[in-house]
Amino acid sequence: MFKSRSEGNVVYKCTVRLLEDLDVLECEFQPHHKGSFLLDYICETLEITEKDYFGLRFVDSAKQRHWLDLAKTIIKQVKDVEPLVLSFRVKFYPADPCRLTGYGKVMLFQQLKRDLRHGRLYCSIGEAAALGALIVQDEFGDFDAETHTGEYVSSLKIALRQSEQLEKKAMELHRKREPGLETVAVFDEFVGIARSLETYGIDPHPVKDHRGTQLYLGINFSGISTFAAGRRAQHFRWPEVHKINFEGKMFIIHLAYTDDRREVKKHTVGFKCPSGSACRYVWRCAIEQMLFFTLPTSQHASVMSGGGFFSWGTKFKYSGRTEREILSESLNALRQQKLNNTSPSKRKAQSVPATPSSPQGDLAEIRYSSLPRSTMSEPLGGCHDHMASSVYCTDNPLPTLETVSEEARKTNGDSNDHLSDYYFRDSFDHSSSESGFTSNVIENRLGSHLHHRQTYTSDNISSLAMHSMANNSALIQQQNASNSAKNAKKFSLIQAFVPSFFFVVAVLAVSAVYILESDSEVFSSMKNLPEMICLRYQYYQPLKEFLAKKFGAIF
């Protein structure tokens, strides 16, 4: 990373590699610039209008790949990257590639060629030959018997495992192609074949299942898939995905789907990633892909949190437009363009609103009807059928429940007790403060009686004073009893919370140890949960080995 000081401002320089390895761009940015500034500059330079499908990727010092966050400053994300090299790539492969126009379609074509060349776009030898023939058509043009002689395809790098058989098939298909085909038609045919493949838009992430089998996880517009030996083994559609989180190295998918009897079933699937940072990267890629292809607008995006009890939580807020927003803006622009090109007389004739029997023609022009069901339906298409309780279903928000805690009830109940205690204490203090006034009245009355009547003796006065002292002592005892009762009623949060917390922790620890060490079939399904597997291999097993070595050395 290079930086230079000019007029008191720090300017950083970076290199951006395009989809062709030899094409690079030198860019500059300042500390306050966010990732969107760099992406906007590159898309403007390349004349790309559909910039939301593209992104910038970099590799940190730990050799972990990351997508540049468009909502955060660049320098905070790449502060440990030296030299600063970014790669301009297609981030969201559209469900209908033909909707891209201009140089955006060219960049998608180059990205798919790169995927085929690096083995990400896995296909059969026949499909690879068909794609290779289109690449040859784009590079060399129409077949010419005088120019295209010998093994002319061998000079091109078509596929990862390129063989002579593949080159011969590609040349044979190139010879049979119709001459005079335009470049745009070649692009459309190429991306059409690539779109039909299961590995379209897939960036494989190496993972392992609960049996330890090596798999590759792929995420695209349709959902999450697992691949084994180049074949798709599992496919989880976005409407079936209820929640995505991670726990340490474990990437966890929570599914909610409807079976044949129209009953909602829930299932959890976990995959172990090579490292914790790789797991967070897979989680973020899955969240971004799901939100981009399922949300109606970015305003519906909430802060997503990942990570469980045994790992640091990660929060992510989606920024940018969603695919439906892009389609809506394209549709509105097309309508506005047609409206401007329409004469006033025709505009008046077309002022009658369209009916279901006369659909608007501009919908077909952006190929909206060719979208798959998962992107054509309402948010998280079919979420009422497949996800009755999905947290991502924005059209059917769950009602907010206002719970009343026991602490609130105790507070309301104790208020009356405090009121009665306060009233009793106030009346008691008032009585005790007036005790001196009462004794003075008695003494005055005694003096008057001695003056007028000589029947009172000293014994009567002493007995009366003793009676007053007895009353005072009784009142004092009553006050002490009330204070002790009041202190007994006081609720100590620390005394109640700390023992309860340690008791709950002890019960959970004992239960976890019992389940992990038990051979009973009752706990077999519970032991196979991704959370229990993560707890066993990341925390319980190492702690058990440490204690065995520690106490084994002592005894």
Side-chain angles (χ1 to χ4, degrees), residues 17-50:
R17 294 186 303 183
L18 302 181
L19 291 167
E20 294 292 340
D21 294 330
L22 300 180
D23 297 339
V24 296
L25 284 177
E26 298 294 336
C27 303
E28 296 181 351
F29 63 92
Q30 293 182 345
H32 65 277
H33 285 152
K34 297 182 179 181
S36 57
F37 168 80
L38 203 56
L39 182 62
D40 293 343
Y41 172 76
I42 296 173
C43 291
E44 183 179 355
T45 304
L46 300 178
E47 298 180 356
I48 298 176
T49 57
E50 302 91 349

Coordinates of all heavy atoms in Angstrom, one line a residue, residues 17-50:
R17 N -7.4 -5.5 -10.1 CA -7.2 -6.4 -11.2 C -8.6 -6.7 -11.8 O -9.5 -7.1 -11.1 CB -6.6 -7.7 -10.8 CG -5.1 -7.6 -10.4 CD -4.5 -8.9 -10.1 NE -5.2 -9.6 -9.0 CZ -4.8 -10.8 -8.5 NH1 -3.7 -11.4 -9.0 NH2 -5.5 -11.4 -7.6
L18 N -8.7 -6.6 -13.1 CA -10.0 -6.9 -13.8 C -10.1 -8.4 -14.1 O -9.2 -9.2 -13.7 CB -10.1 -6.0 -15.0 CG -10.0 -4.5 -14.8 CD1 -10.2 -3.8 -16.1 CD2 -11.0 -4.1 -13.8
L19 N -11.1 -8.8 -14.8 CA -11.3 -10.2 -15.1 C -10.3 -10.8 -16.0 O -10.1 -12.0 -16.0 CB -12.8 -10.4 -15.6 CG -13.9 -10.1 -14.6 CD1 -15.2 -10.0 -15.2 CD2 -13.9 -11.2 -13.5
E20 N -9.7 -10.0 -16.9 CA -8.6 -10.4 -17.7 C -7.3 -10.2 -16.9 O -7.1 -9.0 -16.4 CB -8.5 -9.7 -19.0 CG -9.7 -10.0 -19.9 CD -9.7 -11.5 -20.4 OE1 -8.6 -12.1 -20.4 OE2 -10.7 -12.0 -20.9
D21 N -6.5 -11.1 -16.7 CA -5.4 -11.0 -15.8 C -4.4 -9.9 -16.1 O -3.8 -9.3 -15.2 CB -4.6 -12.4 -15.8 CG -5.4 -13.5 -15.2 OD1 -6.3 -13.2 -14.3 OD2 -5.2 -14.7 -15.6
L22 N -4.3 -9.5 -17.4 CA -3.4 -8.5 -17.8 C -4.0 -7.1 -17.7 O -3.3 -6.1 -17.8 CB -2.9 -8.7 -19.2 CG -2.2 -10.0 -19.4 CD1 -1.7 -10.1 -20.9 CD2 -0.9 -10.1 -18.5
D23 N -5.3 -7.0 -17.4 CA -6.0 -5.7 -17.3 C -6.0 -5.3 -15.9 O -6.6 -6.0 -15.0 CB -7.4 -5.8 -17.9 CG -7.4 -6.1 -19.4 OD1 -6.4 -5.9 -20.0 OD2 -8.5 -6.6 -19.9
V24 N -5.5 -4.1 -15.6 CA -5.4 -3.6 -14.2 C -5.8 -2.1 -14.3 O -5.7 -1.4 -15.3 CB -4.1 -3.8 -13.5 CG1 -3.7 -5.2 -13.4 CG2 -3.0 -3.1 -14.3
L25 N -6.3 -1.6 -13.1 CA -6.6 -0.2 -12.9 C -5.9 0.3 -11.6 O -5.9 -0.4 -10.6 CB -8.1 0.0 -12.8 CG -8.9 0.0 -14.0 CD1 -10.4 0.1 -13.6 CD2 -8.5 1.0 -15.0
E26 N -5.3 1.5 -11.7 CA -4.6 2.1 -10.6 C -5.6 3.1 -10.0 O -6.0 4.1 -10.7 CB -3.3 2.8 -11.0 CG -2.2 1.8 -11.5 CD -1.8 0.8 -10.5 OE1 -1.9 1.2 -9.3 OE2 -1.3 -0.2 -10.8
C27 N -6.0 3.0 -8.8 CA -7.0 3.8 -8.2 C -6.4 4.5 -6.9 O -5.4 4.0 -6.3 CB -8.2 3.0 -7.8 SG -9.0 2.1 -9.2
E28 N -7.0 5.6 -6.6 CA -6.6 6.3 -5.4 C -7.9 6.6 -4.5 O -9.0 6.7 -5.0 CB -6.0 7.7 -5.7 CG -4.7 7.6 -6.5 CD -4.1 8.9 -6.8 OE1 -4.8 9.9 -6.6 OE2 -2.9 9.0 -7.3
F29 N -7.7 6.6 -3.2 CA -8.8 6.9 -2.3 C -8.2 7.5 -1.0 O -7.0 7.4 -0.8 CB -9.6 5.6 -2.0 CG -8.8 4.6 -1.2 CD1 -8.7 4.5 0.2 CD2 -8.0 3.6 -1.9 CE1 -8.0 3.6 0.8 CE2 -7.3 2.7 -1.3 CZ -7.3 2.7 0.1
Q30 N -9.1 8.2 -0.3 CA -8.7 8.8 1.0 C -9.2 8.1 2.2 O -10.1 7.2 2.0 CB -9.2 10.3 1.0 CG -8.4 11.2 -0.1 CD -8.9 12.6 -0.1 OE1 -9.9 12.9 0.5 NE2 -8.2 13.5 -0.7
P31 N -8.7 8.4 3.4 CA -9.2 7.6 4.5 C -10.7 7.6 4.8 O -11.2 6.7 5.3 CB -8.4 8.3 5.7 CG -7.2 8.9 5.1 CD -7.6 9.3 3.7
H32 N -11.4 8.7 4.4 CA -12.8 8.8 4.7 C -13.7 8.1 3.6 O -14.9 8.0 3.8 CB -13.2 10.2 4.8 CG -13.1 11.0 3.6 ND1 -11.9 11.6 3.2 CD2 -14.0 11.3 2.6 CE1 -12.1 12.2 2.0 NE2 -13.3 12.1 1.6
H33 N -13.0 7.6 2.5 CA -13.8 7.0 1.4 C -14.3 5.6 1.8 O -13.5 4.8 2.4 CB -13.0 6.9 0.2 CG -12.8 8.3 -0.5 ND1 -11.7 8.6 -1.3 CD2 -13.6 9.4 -0.6 CE1 -11.9 9.8 -1.8 NE2 -13.0 10.3 -1.3
K34 N -15.5 5.3 1.5 CA -16.0 4.0 1.7 C -15.9 3.1 0.5 O -15.4 3.5 -0.6 CB -17.5 4.1 2.1 CG -17.7 4.8 3.4 CD -19.2 4.9 3.8 CE -19.4 5.6 5.1 NZ -20.9 5.7 5.4
G35 N -16.2 1.8 0.7 CA -16.0 0.8 -0.4 C -16.9 1.2 -1.6 O -16.5 0.9 -2.8
S36 N -18.0 1.8 -1.5 CA -18.9 2.2 -2.6 C -18.2 3.2 -3.5 O -18.4 3.3 -4.7 CB -20.2 2.8 -2.1 OG -20.0 3.9 -1.2
F37 N -17.3 4.0 -2.9 CA -16.6 5.0 -3.7 C -15.7 4.3 -4.8 O -15.7 4.7 -5.9 CB -15.7 5.9 -2.8 CG -14.7 6.8 -3.5 CD1 -15.1 8.0 -4.2 CD2 -13.4 6.4 -3.6 CE1 -14.2 8.7 -4.8 CE2 -12.4 7.2 -4.3 CZ -12.9 8.4 -4.9
L38 N -15.0 3.3 -4.4 CA -14.1 2.6 -5.3 C -14.9 1.8 -6.3 O -14.5 1.8 -7.5 CB -13.2 1.7 -4.5 CG -11.8 1.3 -5.1 CD1 -11.0 2.5 -5.5 CD2 -11.0 0.4 -4.2
L39 N -15.9 1.2 -5.9 CA -16.7 0.4 -6.9 C -17.4 1.3 -7.9 O -17.5 1.0 -9.1 CB -17.8 -0.4 -6.1 CG -18.7 -1.3 -7.0 CD1 -17.8 -2.4 -7.7 CD2 -19.7 -2.0 -6.2
D40 N -17.9 2.5 -7.4 CA -18.5 3.4 -8.3 C -17.5 4.0 -9.4 O -17.9 4.1 -10.6 CB -19.2 4.6 -7.6 CG -20.3 4.1 -6.7 OD1 -20.9 3.1 -7.0 OD2 -20.7 4.9 -5.8
Y41 N -16.3 4.2 -8.9 CA -15.3 4.7 -9.8 C -14.9 3.7 -10.9 O -14.8 4.0 -12.1 CB -14.0 5.1 -9.0 CG -12.9 5.4 -9.9 CD1 -12.8 6.7 -10.5 CD2 -11.8 4.5 -10.1 CE1 -11.7 7.0 -11.3 CE2 -10.7 4.9 -10.9 CZ -10.7 6.1 -11.5 OH -9.6 6.4 -12.3
I42 N -14.8 2.4 -10.5 CA -14.5 1.4 -11.5 C -15.6 1.2 -12.5 O -15.4 1.0 -13.7 CB -14.1 0.1 -10.7 CG1 -12.8 0.3 -9.9 CG2 -13.9 -1.0 -11.7 CD1 -12.5 -0.9 -9.0
C43 N -16.8 1.1 -12.0 CA -18.0 0.9 -12.9 C -18.2 2.0 -13.8 O -18.5 1.9 -15.0 CB -19.2 0.6 -12.0 SG -19.2 -1.0 -11.1
E44 N -17.9 3.2 -13.3 CA -18.0 4.4 -14.2 C -16.9 4.4 -15.2 O -17.1 4.8 -16.4 CB -17.9 5.7 -13.3 CG -18.1 7.0 -14.1 CD -18.0 8.2 -13.3 OE1 -17.9 8.0 -12.0 OE2 -18.1 9.3 -13.8
T45 N -15.7 4.0 -14.9 CA -14.6 3.9 -15.8 C -14.9 2.8 -16.9 O -14.6 3.0 -18.1 CB -13.3 3.5 -15.1 OG1 -13.1 4.5 -14.1 CG2 -12.1 3.5 -16.1
L46 N -15.5 1.7 -16.5 CA -15.8 0.6 -17.4 C -17.1 0.8 -18.1 O -17.5 -0.1 -18.9 CB -15.7 -0.7 -16.7 CG -14.4 -1.1 -16.1 CD1 -14.4 -2.4 -15.3 CD2 -13.3 -1.2 -17.1
E47 N -17.9 1.8 -17.8 CA -19.2 2.1 -18.3 C -20.2 0.9 -18.1 O -20.9 0.5 -18.9 CB -19.1 2.3 -19.8 CG -18.2 3.5 -20.2 CD -18.1 3.8 -21.7 OE1 -18.7 2.9 -22.4 OE2 -17.5 4.8 -22.1
I48 N -20.2 0.5 -16.8 CA -21.1 -0.5 -16.3 C -22.2 0.1 -15.6 O -22.0 0.8 -14.6 CB -20.4 -1.6 -15.4 CG1 -19.3 -2.3 -16.2 CG2 -21.4 -2.6 -14.9 CD1 -18.4 -3.2 -15.4
T49 N -23.5 -0.1 -16.0 CA -24.6 0.5 -15.4 C -25.2 -0.4 -14.3 O -25.7 0.1 -13.3 CB -25.7 0.8 -16.4 OG1 -26.1 -0.5 -17.1 CG2 -25.2 1.8 -17.4
E50 N -25.1 -1.7 -14.4 CA -25.6 -2.7 -13.4 C -24.5 -3.0 -12.4 O -24.0 -4.1 -12.3 CB -26.1 -3.9 -14.0 CG -27.2 -3.7 -15.1 CD -26.7 -3.5 -16.5 OE1 -25.4 -3.4 -16.6 OE2 -27.4 -3.6 -17.4

